[in-house]
Amino acid sequence: MTKPRVLVIIPAYNEEKSVGKVIAGLRRFCPEYDVVVINDGSRDNTAAVARAAGAQVIDLPFNLGIGGAMQTGYLYAYRHGYDIAIQMDADGQHEPAELPKIMAPLLAGEGDMIVGSRFVAPTGYRSPVGRRVGIWFLSFLLRLLSGQWIKDTTSGFRAVNREIICLFAHYYPTDYPEPEVLIILDKLGFRILEVPVEMKSRQAGRSSITPLRSLYYMAKVSLALLMNVLKKFDAYRLKGETG
Amino acid sequence: MRADIYFLAALFSFIFLLMVLNFVRRGRLKEQYAILWIFFGLILIVVSLRVEIIDWLAALLGVVYPPSLLFLLGIIFCLSLIVHLTVVVSRLEERVVRLTQEIALLWAEVGEGAKRKEEAAG
């Protein structure tokens, strides 16, 4: 078997302080992977910093939001014939050194999507109580809706195979893509595997989530997840297979 | 007095129809919606000229107060139109997102080509 071509997709919105370090880390730990940064209409120097660090940069003319930006990356991976795509945050909480942990099970064919998780086994990462309650609730809801028991439903540290790249190039949820994707993949019969990884607290920038907002966030995510249960995705799966 | 208000209603309906036709003439309204509004305008004119239609329909459906039937029909019409419009907006939004992605990918492609040419020349 020839070596699989791997693309790392990093969506970035105003992440000039951290995106350079993330790319440098990737260059050091896995120089054989290609890196594409989707600059989601940043108003700072994200694009220039990413280019200087040696990544391919795709500039969206305005902010599409995480779903639309991420899908741009999958579209790129699909068109350029990559076998594996990895998604990573630009804020530095996902470490390039941890990549083998999500790559190994994918290469071994243990799952179609591997999710790097903070919670499967005890790791060094500690998050605020409110956040943990919210994350637990999402897991619980996902369990009810899909029968999957994924602990870190919002983790954006993931690796997928070619078949899922095809699917995501044709359909990717826009509102709360990370948890929504889990339901969609489950409905289409893809195998999702969660593995423990080390994550850092974000290096730069601030999370926009406050207690009151996170309640509102939970309600909206729950609704979005429920809608995915009602939705039909078989057509996209077909397109993915022939495309 | 009654006759006056009916005359006004008919006049309003007529002006409404003219406005729609004017939008069509200037190409500001797609045929699909133009047909809808022309049809709606014609119904308005007919109903305001022949109010008995509403009374007759109300009696047929067992509605005691005929004007309430008029409101009901109006609300149903507006609601279904709004639902239809949100469907249209959703589809448009999906297309804008896809176009934006395609343009960004194209630019990346063109940029790469230009860069390669430069390297080959230099």
Side-chain angles (χ1 to χ4, degrees):
Chain A
M1 192 184 133
T2 52
K3 247 185 144 185
R5 293 181 60 223
V6 181
L7 177 72
V8 181
I9 304 168
I10 306 176
Y13 177 58
N14 295 340
E15 300 278 10
E16 63 177 3
K17 291 200 185 90
S18 51
V19 74
K21 260 183 251 167
V22 174
I23 298 165
L26 283 167
R27 293 260 82 95
R28 207 170 101 225
F29 287 103
C30 13
E32 71 277 18
Y33 297 171
D34 292 338
V35 180
V36 66
V37 171
I38 314 297
N39 172 27
D40 194 9
S42 300
R43 277 160 300 172
D44 64 0
N45 262 327
T46 299
V49 170
R51 275 200 185 92
Q56 160 81 35
V57 176
I58 293 174
D59 287 299
L60 292 168
F62 48 81
N63 187 267
L64 282 188
I66 181 66
M70 193 61 88
Q71 191 181 33
T72 311
Y74 280 113
L75 209 52
Y76 181 89
Y78 176 64
R79 300 254 169 93
H80 288 79
Y82 284 97
D83 303 303
I84 290 173
I86 294 167
Q87 56 178 75
M88 248 175 112
D89 287 359
D91 62 10
Q93 66 169 316
H94 303 148
E95 297 186 69
E98 297 289 294
L99 272 181
K101 291 188 189 165
I102 60 171
M103 277 299 288
L106 190 69
L107 289 171
E110 287 167 37
D112 299 302
M113 175 160 89
I114 315 296
V115 179
S117 169
R118 288 161 278 194
F119 310 113
V120 171
T123 64
Y125 185 91
R126 302 301 295 165
S127 48
V129 179
R131 197 186 160 93
R132 263 182 288 165
V133 170
I135 287 167
W136 179 85
F137 171 75
L138 275 189
S139 292
F140 179 70
L141 187 66
L142 194 78
R143 171 79 215 229
L144 282 181
L145 297 178
S146 75
Q148 303 245 22
W149 191 235
I150 307 271
K151 294 202 179 74
D152 199 355
T153 56
T154 56
S155 163
F157 192 51
R158 299 173 170 191
V160 304
N161 63 15
R162 175 76 187 165
E163 218 186 328
I164 295 188
I165 292 176
C166 290
L167 171 71
F168 287 171
H170 291 104
Y171 182 83
Y172 198 74
T174 47
D175 296 340
Y176 307 99
E178 281 87 11
E180 283 184 68
V181 153
L182 299 173
I183 289 202
I184 296 167
L185 292 185
D186 177 74
K187 278 186 85 168
L188 291 173
F190 286 107
R191 293 163 306 150
I192 306 168
L193 182 72
E194 195 177 21
V195 296
V197 296
E198 290 284 339
M199 286 192 197
K200 284 187 201 161
S201 308
R202 50 198 296 130
Q203 291 184 342
R206 288 172 59 213
S207 176
S208 54
I209 295 171
T210 64
L212 198 69
R213 261 198 223 162
S214 60
L215 256 182
Y216 182 49
Y217 171 84
M218 288 325 251
K220 285 196 295 184
V221 178
S222 306
L223 257 177
L225 290 183
L226 280 169
M227 296 220 284
N228 279 299
V229 171
L230 295 175
K231 244 177 170 174
K232 278 189 173 157
F233 296 102
D234 300 335
Y236 298 112
R237 160 121 200 177
L238 244 169
K239 262 193 234 169
E241 274 170 354
T242 51
Chain B
M1 270 297 118
R2 254 177 83 94
D4 276 352
I5 208 67
Y6 290 121
F7 172 73
L8 273 179
L11 187 69
F12 170 80
S13 311
F14 190 67
I15 292 172
F16 177 82
L17 194 61
L18 281 184
M19 272 170 56
V20 172
L21 288 174
N22 192 37
F23 277 134
V24 176
R25 197 176 56 86
R26 296 200 322 221
R28 296 264 293 271
L29 199 57
K30 268 187 79 176
E31 284 80 359
Q32 181 194 354
Y33 295 109
I35 291 168
L36 174 79
W37 288 120
I38 289 171
F39 191 64
F40 184 70
L42 286 174
I43 288 180
L44 274 186
I45 292 181
V46 171
V47 168
S48 51
L49 288 177
R50 285 269 169 276
V51 190
E52 306 91 87
I53 296 172
I54 291 297
D55 297 332
W56 172 78
L57 207 62
L60 194 74
L61 295 171
V63 177
V64 182
Y65 182 59
S68 66
L69 179 66
L70 202 60
F71 284 119
L72 178 70
L73 292 178
I75 289 169
I76 289 175
F77 176 77
C78 289
L79 268 181
S80 37
L81 187 70
I82 291 168
V83 169
H84 170 73
L85 287 179
T86 48
V87 169
V88 172
V89 168
S90 303
R91 196 174 55 209
L92 285 178
E93 196 182 308
E94 206 172 282
R95 287 181 180 178
V96 167
V97 165
R98 180 43 65 112
L99 281 175
T100 310
Q101 294 172 333
E102 294 287 357
I103 288 175
L105 287 170
L106 268 177
W107 268 117
E109 207 75 33
V110 170
E112 256 174 52
K115 206 164 64 187
R116 253 183 248 123
K117 245 182 237 166
E118 250 180 35
E119 280 166 0

